[in-house]
Amino acid sequence: MQRGLGEMRRVLKPGEICLVVDFEPPKWGLLRPIVENHMTPMAHVNVRNYVPLLKEVGFTEIETGPTSSKLLSYVRGKAPKAK
C-alpha cells in the first residue's frame, strides 16, 4: 500500500489532491454482525489508519471523514506546493 500511495504522490502536481474512499464497517446496527461474521478481513478497516501512511509519503492537509454512504469513509491529502 505504501508504494501505491507514494506513486500517487509522485504523479500529482503540487496542490492536487489524493482522495481514497474505503469500506468502513458499521460500528452499530443490524449490519454490524453481518460484516463481522462474513467479511472478517474487512471488518477492521479504518480510514484513519491511512493518515500516517499519507504523511510518510509527503502529503499535507490530511483529513478523514464519512461519506453519504454509511459503509464508506474517505481520507484525502494534498500534494505539497513546490518551494
Side-chain angles (χ1 to χ4, degrees):
M1 179 176 303
Q2 194 68 13
R3 281 181 59 189
L5 292 171
E7 184 64 11
M8 287 184 220
R9 167 61 192 91
R10 186 187 71 76
V11 300
L12 286 175
K13 294 177 182 167
E16 289 186 332
I17 292 175
C18 170
L19 174 67
V20 178
V21 177
D22 203 348
F23 176 75
E24 183 86 15
K27 308 285 188 268
W28 57 85
L30 296 174
L31 288 176
R32 184 175 182 201
I34 293 169
V35 170
E36 287 177 347
N37 292 322
H38 299 288
M39 301 175 74
T40 305
M42 296 179 78
H44 303 289
V45 172
N46 185 331
V47 295
R48 287 168 288 290
N49 295 338
Y50 287 94
V51 172
L53 301 174
L54 288 170
K55 283 182 183 178
E56 190 173 314
V57 298
F59 284 102
T60 61
E61 300 179 42
I62 300 165
E63 61 181 62
T64 66
T67 67
S68 59
S69 169
K70 293 180 182 180
L71 297 177
L72 298 173
S73 292
Y74 75 90
V75 60
R76 72 176 169 207
K78 189 179 275 191
K81 300 216 182 222
K83 294 179 182 179

